[in-house]
């Protein structure tokens, strides 16, 4: 009886609850869908009210709630109905229970924070996408209350501060996108707890520190983007555990060390970007196992060694970028059969390969750059069979032979750069078919013949550099039809006759260099029509007459060099001429004007008389100089006791090429592979001479001095003598000194590079000696006479060379003579030379 009574009593509360629920429809024991919807609507409106007012809010159709009780009964029904619901609002979706499960407000112009967003009010939210707005400040840690969230995208905003560790409590997250913000600090170490993650994108922030090794726990990860941050340290080998990974980008950080060999486990990987870091060592050969690889970018690191031989083993590779590293050895043979290649960048390495054998035909290839390497061989005919090729760059290698005419079949090509090689022969007439060509660089070769008139069909050309070749005859007038040209460089060739009037039609031209040719006649007045011209170099030609007065209308001209011609008359009254230093005007017979160069004032009435006086003086100086040459040659075997000179302490400060000393030293060592004999172009009693190609495009000669420490005093005296002389004097017929290094390991002098070497070497070879006709030999004697006259009469104190011989006379491409080797030179007073 007692037990029965107890049972009844215990059952009564449950009966009461059921009774209350059934008999009282206005009483609700748990929140209904209606009340949840009402709470979510209020929360959204409160968040909207925190936004900065702007036009974007007018398009956000979130209506205010009614002021009366939203649960009041309707006269026509006993069921409560809200007057409004967020489920119909812009960017808001609900589940079947009319509770908000998705908010997607992409590119709505929202400007505000998340501080007024009530995360607790959205217990069923699964999808939150606020990308491409102007939301700022920190991401609140309360975001962890969105326990059902599986997609979170806050990218392309202005969020700052750290990634809250609480975000790693969202165990259902599959997509986490926080890219393109201002987030900083470390990636939370708890990131490894988000084991459901499929896509993790934290790129384009200011994140720092190391990549957490437990990121290797995210075994479902398909995409990992951490690029464009400030992450440092080693790449965790645990990333090799992410066998589902398809896309991996760690580029543009400060990561160091080597590429983990564990990456070979990423058999599904299609994209691997490690570019712009500080990675070193070689590429693991195991990366050949990544047969699904489509895009591989390892450029701009410090990687070395050989490229994997079977880098295209899977045959799917379309994009290969390994430029700006220290890779050596051959180009992988597997690239020849990698037909899907679209973009290849191998430039700025130390690759050695015969490129006539390494490449095939690629139907999709758009971009190929293998510049700045040690590649050799002839240019393959196959490039003309790449129908979609738009850019082909092979500059600064050791390519030989002629340009194959088949390149003319690559009719879509926009950029062709074959500069700084050893190419010979004519420019193929088939170039006329390259109607899409915009930039053509053939400079720094040994191409010859005429500049083809077929260039007239290259109407899209805006950049043309044919300098430092052996082109002859006249400048084709048809170049004046290339109306898009903004850069034209034909310098250092053998071009003759007059400057075509048609060049005055190039109204887009910014830079014109016709220097170091044999052009004659007057400067066309039509050139003044080129109002856009900034740089004009006509130096070292045979131009005569006066400078057209219409040049005074060229107010944009900022650099002009007309030196060493036969020009006369007044200089135009514009800044480019007024502020030109003397060396850009010298070597003419009758220029005048009151400008920075301090030329004599113009006197039209006395010009003929002055010219006669100048001519007589010129003959007198020439005869005097020739006498001095004979005298010095007779005396060169006599020994002279040199007066004692005080030792020069410290550095001699001068700059010609504006090189940073340390960087120039490092580049010389790298370019010559620590003075490897293959770069040596001559040997002498005091040192060996090397040709050095700088990455900037400059070519210099470096004389590395023999370090004979038993004769250290004599060596040091001659070294400093050379530096002292050449650091002060400047003359067309004296070799230019660009810099020097005095060190126990390497002491060397950096000179301008003169293509034909010494007169002694030329005279010792029958074929080359035959090229030195009497006119050239007389020109060499004149140049030597000018140099000696300058040293003896124009320098204060005068300089006596004391070692003039054919070994110390260097010739440029036009057989112009330059005096070198001032190690035994003597100054007639102890003060430094002052030369005009």
């Amino acid at each position: 009886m007692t037990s029965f009574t107890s049972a009844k009593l215990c059952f009564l509360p449950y009966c009461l609850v059921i009774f209350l629920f059934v008999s009282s429809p206005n009483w609700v024991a748990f929140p209904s869908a209606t009340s949840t919807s009402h709470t979510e609507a209020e929360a959204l409106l409160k968040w909207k009210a925190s936004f900065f007012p702007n036009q974007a809010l007018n398009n956000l159709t979130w209506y205010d709630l009614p002021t009366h009780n939203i649960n009041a009964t309707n006269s026509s029904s006993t069921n409560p109905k809200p007057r409004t619901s967020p489920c119909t609002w812009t960017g808001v979706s609900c589940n079947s229970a009319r509770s908000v499960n998705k908010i997607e407000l992409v590119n709505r112009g929202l400007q505000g924070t998340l501080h007024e967003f009530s995360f607790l009010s959205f217990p069923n939210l699964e999808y939150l996408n606020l990308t491409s707005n102007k939301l700022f400040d920190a991401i609140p840690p309360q975001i962890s209350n969105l326990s059902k969230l599986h997609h979170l995208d806050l990218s392309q905003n202005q969020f700052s501060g750290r990634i809250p560790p609480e975000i790693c409590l969202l165990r259902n997250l599959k997509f986490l996108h926080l890219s393109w913000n201002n987030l900083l600090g470390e990636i939370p170490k708890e990131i490894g707890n988000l084991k459901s993650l499929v896509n993790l994108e934290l790129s384009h922030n200011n994140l720092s520190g190391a990549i957490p090794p437990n990121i290797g726990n995210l075994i479902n990860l398909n995409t990992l983007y951490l690029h464009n941050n400030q992450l440092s340290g080693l790449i965790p080998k645990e990333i090799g555990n992410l066998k589902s990974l398809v896309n991996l980008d760690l580029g543009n950080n400060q990561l160091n060390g080597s590429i983990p060999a564990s990456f070979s486990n990423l058999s599904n990987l299609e994209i691997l970007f490690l570019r712009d870091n500080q990675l070193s060592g070689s590429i693991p050969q195991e990366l050949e196992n990544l047969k699904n690889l489509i895009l591989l970018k390892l450029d701009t690191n410090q990687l070395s060694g050989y490229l994997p031989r079977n880098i295209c083993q899977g045959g799917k590779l379309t994009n290969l970028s390994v430029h700006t590293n220290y890779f050596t050895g051959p180009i992988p043979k597997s690239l020849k059969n990698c037909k899907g290649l679209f973009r290849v960048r191998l430039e700025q390495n130390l690759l050695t390969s015969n490129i006539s054998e390494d490449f095939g035909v690629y139907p999709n290839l758009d971009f190929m750059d293998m510049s700045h390497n040690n590649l050799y061989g002839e240019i393959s005919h196959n490039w003309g069979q790449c129908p979609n090729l738009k850019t082909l760059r092979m500059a600064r290698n050791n390519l030989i032979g002629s340009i194959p005419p088949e390149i003319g079949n690559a009719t879509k090509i926009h950029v062709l750069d074959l500069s700084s090689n050893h190419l010979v022969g004519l420019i193929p007439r088939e170039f006329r078919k390259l109607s899409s060509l915009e930039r053509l660089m053939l400079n720094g070769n040994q191409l010859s013949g005429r500049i083809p008139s077929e260039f007239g069909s290259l109407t899209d050309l805006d950049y043309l550099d044919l300098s430092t070749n052996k082109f002859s005859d006249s400048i084709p007038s048809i170049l004046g039809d290339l109306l898009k040209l903004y850069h034209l460089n034909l310098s250092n060739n053998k071009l003759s006759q007059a400057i075509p009037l048609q060049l005055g039609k190039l109204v887009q031209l910014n830079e014109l260099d016709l220097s170091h040719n044999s052009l004659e006649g007057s400067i066309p007045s039509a050139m003044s029509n080129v109002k856009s011209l900034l740089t004009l170099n006509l130096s070292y030609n045979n131009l005569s007459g006066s400078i057209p007065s219409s040049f005074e209308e060229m107010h944009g001209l900022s650099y002009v060099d007309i030196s060493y011609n036969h020009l006369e008359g007044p200089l135009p009254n514009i800044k480019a001429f007024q502020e030109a230093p003397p060396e850009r005007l010298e070597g003419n017979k009758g220029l005048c004007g009151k400008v920075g160069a301090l030329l004599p004032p113009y006197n039209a009435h006395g010009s003929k008389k002055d010219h006669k006086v100048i001519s007589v003086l010129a003959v007198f100086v020439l005869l005097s100089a020739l006498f001095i040459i004979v005298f010095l040659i007779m005396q060169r075997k006599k020994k002279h006791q040199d007066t004692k000179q005080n030792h020069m302490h410290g550095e001699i400060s001068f700059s010609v090429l504006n090189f940073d000393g340390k960087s120039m030293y490092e580049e010389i060592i790298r370019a010559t592979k620590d003075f490897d004999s293959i770069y040596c172009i001559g040997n002498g009693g005091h040192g060996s001479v090397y040709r050095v190609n700088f990455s900037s495009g400059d070519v210099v000669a470096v004389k590395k001095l023999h370090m004979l420490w038993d004769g250290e005093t004599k060596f040091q005296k001659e070294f400093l003598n050379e530096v002292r002389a050449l650091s002060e004097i400047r003359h067309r017929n004296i070799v230019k000194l660009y810099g020097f290094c005095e060190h126990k390991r390497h002491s060397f002098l950096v000179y301008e590079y003169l293509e034909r070497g010494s007169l002694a070497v030329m005279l010792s070879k029958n074929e080359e000696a035959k090229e030195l006709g009497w006119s050239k030999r007389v020109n060499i004697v004149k140049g030597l006479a000018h140099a000696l006259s300058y040293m003896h009469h124009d320098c204060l104190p005068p300089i006596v060379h004391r070692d003039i011989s054919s070994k110390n006379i260097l010739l440029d491409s036009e057989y112009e003579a330059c005096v070198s080797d001032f190690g035994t030179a003597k100054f007639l007073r102890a003060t430094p030379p002052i030369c005009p």
Side-chain angles (χ1 to χ4, degrees):
M1 187 69 175
T2 306
S3 60
F4 174 75
T5 305
S6 301
K8 286 173 62 180
L9 291 172
C10 291
F11 185 70
L12 283 174
Y14 295 96
C15 295
L16 180 61
V17 170
I18 293 171
F19 172 76
L20 291 173
F21 182 77
V22 173
S23 62
S24 304
N26 291 330
W27 284 34
V28 181
F30 303 102
S32 67
T34 302
S35 63
T36 300
S37 179
H38 178 73
T39 302
E40 291 169 343
E42 285 185 327
L44 289 174
L45 289 173
K46 182 181 178 183
W47 184 44
K48 176 186 176 184
S50 70
F51 293 154
F52 286 88
N54 57 31
Q55 189 64 32
L57 296 183
N58 297 334
N59 299 322
L60 198 62
T61 56
W62 293 2
Y63 304 108
D64 291 339
L65 292 171
T67 56
H68 63 275
N69 185 355
I70 196 170
N71 287 320
T73 57
N74 189 282
S75 60
S76 62
S77 173
T78 58
N79 296 323
K81 293 183 179 178
R83 294 286 298 276
T84 187
S85 168
C87 302
T88 62
W89 291 358
T90 305
V92 180
S93 301
C94 296
N95 58 20
S96 58
R98 300 186 67 77
S99 177
V100 174
N101 67 347
K102 182 177 182 179
I103 300 175
E104 186 171 18
L105 298 169
V106 177
N107 197 21
R108 294 283 179 177
L110 305 180
Q111 189 172 0
T113 72
L114 289 178
H115 295 308
E116 297 300 324
F117 188 95
S118 178
F119 297 99
L120 276 172
S121 299
F122 299 94
N124 298 306
L125 192 62
E126 299 176 352
Y127 186 104
L128 178 61
N129 188 351
L130 305 176
T131 188
S132 300
N133 283 290
K134 298 178 182 179
L135 301 174
F136 60 93
D137 215 336
I139 301 173
Q142 292 82 1
I143 199 169
S144 62
N145 291 320
L146 303 177
S147 58
K148 292 186 179 181
L149 204 64
H150 62 72
H151 186 113
L152 176 60
D153 192 344
L154 304 179
S155 59
Q156 298 186 53
N157 279 286
Q158 299 166 19
F159 289 111
S160 57
R162 298 175 179 272
I163 300 174
E166 291 82 359
I167 212 167
C168 301
L169 297 174
L170 301 174
R171 302 299 175 87
N172 292 312
L173 268 186
K174 293 183 178 180
F175 297 87
L176 176 57
H177 297 180
L178 303 177
S179 300
W180 292 97
N181 280 290
N182 300 314
L183 299 171
L184 48 78
E186 297 183 349
I187 299 173
K189 294 180 173 56
E190 298 84 354
I191 198 78
N193 297 333
L194 300 177
K195 296 184 179 180
S196 298
L197 269 184
V198 174
N199 193 306
L200 176 60
E201 299 186 16
L202 306 178
S203 62
H204 293 276
N205 281 289
N206 297 311
L207 300 174
S208 58
I211 300 173
N214 66 3
I215 209 166
N217 296 339
L218 308 179
I219 56 175
N220 294 308
L221 210 56
N222 171 283
T223 297
L224 176 59
Y225 287 163
L226 304 179
H227 54 282
N228 290 85
N229 280 290
Q230 299 175 30
L231 300 171
S232 57
L234 305 177
I235 299 175
K237 64 180 184 300
E238 289 81 0
I239 290 181
N241 299 332
L242 307 178
K243 296 184 179 180
S244 298
L245 206 59
V246 175
N247 307 307
L248 175 60
D249 192 346
L250 307 179
N252 290 91
N253 280 291
Q254 299 169 19
L255 301 170
N256 55 43
S258 59
I259 301 172
S262 62
F263 275 23
S264 61
N265 299 327
L266 306 177
S267 57
N268 293 306
L269 203 62
E270 296 179 0
I271 296 176
L272 175 59
F273 289 176
L274 303 176
R275 68 202 185 286
D276 289 287
N277 277 289
Q278 299 167 19
L279 301 175
S280 57
S282 59
I283 301 176
Q285 203 67 30
E286 294 85 350
L287 258 63
E288 293 180 349
N289 299 329
L290 304 181
K291 297 181 180 180
N292 290 307
L293 206 58
I294 297 174
L295 306 178
L296 177 61
K297 292 189 177 183
L298 307 177
D299 51 271
T300 320
N301 279 287
Q302 300 167 23
L303 298 168
S304 58
Y306 283 20
L307 295 172
R309 289 169 296 178
N310 297 314
I311 200 168
C312 194
Q313 185 174 353
K316 297 181 180 180
L317 194 66
T318 65
N319 193 317
L320 174 63
S321 183
V322 296
H323 68 86
T324 319
N325 279 287
Y326 298 97
F327 290 119
T328 56
I331 294 172
K333 297 291 185 184
S334 60
L335 289 183
K336 189 168 187 177
N337 301 314
C338 197
K339 302 299 183 183
L341 285 177
F342 175 78
R343 189 177 183 89
V344 179
R345 297 193 61 179
L346 307 173
E347 73 268 22
Q348 296 280 357
N349 279 289
L350 303 171
L351 297 171
T352 54
S353 208
N354 187 339
I355 64 165
S356 58
E357 304 171 355
D358 292 333
F359 295 99
V361 176
Y362 307 100
N364 302 316
L365 188 65
D366 174 89
F367 188 103
M368 169 63 74
D369 192 343
M370 56 186 87
S371 303
H372 296 265
N373 279 288
N374 296 317
L375 304 172
Y376 58 91
E378 296 187 355
I379 299 173
S380 171
H381 299 261
N382 290 339
W383 297 114
Q385 300 180 51
C386 299
N388 292 298
L389 187 61
K390 293 185 177 66
T391 297
L392 178 60
R393 290 177 172 153
M394 300 181 178
R396 298 194 176 279
N397 282 288
N398 298 306
L399 308 184
I400 59 173
S402 58
I403 302 173
E406 288 82 358
I407 283 186
N409 296 326
T411 55
K412 291 186 179 180
I413 201 162
H414 292 167
V415 177
L416 179 59
D417 187 355
L418 307 178
S419 61
S420 299
N421 282 288
H422 307 290
L423 301 174
V424 297
L426 308 178
I427 296 177
R429 295 187 179 276
E430 286 77 3
F431 269 38
R432 68 182 181 275
K433 296 186 288 185
L434 302 179
S435 56
S436 298
L437 199 60
E438 297 174 0
R439 296 172 65 89
L440 177 61
M441 289 78 80
L442 301 177
N443 50 293
N445 284 288
Q446 299 175 39
L447 300 170
S448 58
R450 296 193 62 177
I451 298 173
S453 59
E454 285 81 1
F455 272 19
S457 62
L458 309 182
T459 53
D460 281 340
L461 206 62
D462 59 33
Y463 190 105
L464 177 60
D465 193 342
L466 304 179
S467 63
T468 319
N469 279 287
K470 297 180 179 179
F471 293 116
S472 57
D473 215 318
S474 60
I475 299 173
S477 59
I478 201 72
L479 293 184
D481 293 336
L482 306 182
L483 300 181
K484 294 183 180 180
L485 274 181
Y486 71 84
H487 179 101
L488 177 59
N489 191 344
L490 306 178
S491 64
N492 287 282
N493 279 288
K494 299 179 179 180
L495 299 170
S496 58
Q497 301 183 38
I499 299 173
L501 300 175
Q502 290 81 355
L503 294 187
K505 295 160 57 179
L506 301 177
V507 295
Q508 305 282 354
L509 203 61
N510 296 149
E511 299 169 325
L512 176 61
D513 192 343
L514 305 178
S515 64
H516 293 271
N517 281 290
S518 300
L519 300 172
E520 55 192 34
S522 58
I523 300 173
S525 59
M527 291 301 302
S528 61
N529 297 331
V530 189
K531 299 294 192 297
S532 59
L533 202 62
L534 303 175
T535 299
L536 175 63
N537 193 343
L538 303 175
S539 62
Y540 291 92
N541 279 288
N542 297 314
L543 299 173
S544 59
S546 60
I547 302 170
S549 59
S550 56
F551 268 43
E552 295 191 356
E553 301 172 9
M554 302 176 69
H555 299 291
L557 199 61
S558 59
Y559 177 99
V560 65
D561 190 342
I562 55 173
S563 59
Y564 295 98
N565 281 284
H566 307 293
L567 299 170
E568 57 187 349
L571 293 173
N573 187 26
I574 57 174
K575 185 176 180 181
F577 289 95
Q578 290 174 341
E579 298 183 359
E583 59 265 24
R584 296 186 198 162
L585 304 175
E586 65 186 2
N588 288 285
K589 63 179 182 179
L591 289 177
C592 52
K594 189 177 180 181
V595 294
L598 299 178
L599 294 173
Y602 178 57
N603 184 349
H605 299 290
S607 59
K608 290 184 178 180
K609 181 179 178 181
D610 292 342
H611 291 167
K612 290 181 180 179
V613 172
I614 291 171
S615 299
V616 173
L617 288 174
V619 172
F620 175 77
V621 170
L622 179 60
L623 292 174
S624 300
L626 289 173
F627 174 78
I628 293 171
I629 292 172
V630 174
F631 176 77
L632 288 173
I633 292 174
M634 293 175 62
Q635 297 295 322
R636 63 183 296 270
K637 293 184 179 180
K638 294 183 179 180
K639 294 183 180 179
H640 296 275
Q641 185 66 33
D642 214 2
T643 57
K644 293 184 179 181
Q645 297 182 6
N646 293 328
H647 181 65
M648 296 171 63
H649 295 281
E651 295 183 354
I652 298 176
S653 299
F654 65 95
S655 174
V656 177
L657 289 182
N658 296 319
F659 273 109
D660 172 70
K662 182 180 179 182
S663 64
M664 185 170 89
Y665 173 83
E666 292 173 350
E667 188 159 9
I668 288 172
I669 298 301
R670 177 181 173 181
T672 60
K673 294 183 181 178
D674 203 7
F675 294 106
D676 192 295
S677 59
I678 63 172
Y679 299 97
C680 183
I681 58 175
N683 291 288
H686 299 294
S688 301
V689 182
Y690 297 79
R691 171 177 168 151
V692 179
N693 293 325
F694 285 144
S695 59
S696 63
D698 295 302
V699 180
V700 298
V702 173
K703 181 165 77 172
K704 180 176 178 290
L705 301 173
H706 300 319
M707 301 301 290
L708 304 175
W709 295 106
D710 54 342
E712 181 178 359
T713 303
K714 181 180 179 183
F715 157 77
Q716 193 173 49
K717 177 181 177 182
E718 293 184 355
F719 176 81
L720 294 175
N721 223 31
E722 181 104 355
V723 171
R724 182 187 177 196
L726 292 181
S727 63
E728 294 292 340
I729 60 180
R730 295 284 184 273
H731 191 271
R732 174 185 183 180
N733 298 109
I734 296 177
V735 68
K736 294 181 179 64
L737 179 71
Y738 291 153
F740 69 94
C741 170
E742 183 182 13
H743 192 270
K744 286 187 177 181
R745 183 185 175 199
H746 294 307
S747 287
F748 54 77
L749 299 153
V750 184
Y751 302 97
E752 66 173 319
Y753 177 71
L754 298 172
E755 295 86 344
R756 297 192 181 276
S758 73
L759 178 61
V761 172
M762 278 206 76
L763 293 174
S764 67
K765 299 177 181 179
N766 290 334
E767 291 301 320
E768 294 188 18
K770 289 178 182 178
E771 295 183 20
L772 283 176
W774 281 111
S775 61
K776 291 177 181 176
R777 297 189 184 207
V778 169
N779 194 54
I780 290 171
V781 172
K782 286 181 181 179
L784 184 58
H786 287 313
L788 293 174
S789 176
Y790 170 80
M791 289 188 293
H792 297 169
H793 301 292
D794 295 332
C795 288
L796 183 66
I799 302 172
V800 180
H801 188 284
R802 301 204 305 170
D803 192 18
I804 292 292
S805 72
S806 58
K807 293 180 180 179
N808 297 330
I809 300 173
L810 305 180
L811 304 178
D812 66 9
S813 60
E814 299 300 319
Y815 299 93
E816 189 74 32
C818 282
V819 179
S820 68
D821 201 344
F822 283 71
T824 60
K826 184 175 181 180
F827 302 92
L828 299 188
R829 285 200 302 274
T831 57
I834 301 172
C835 303

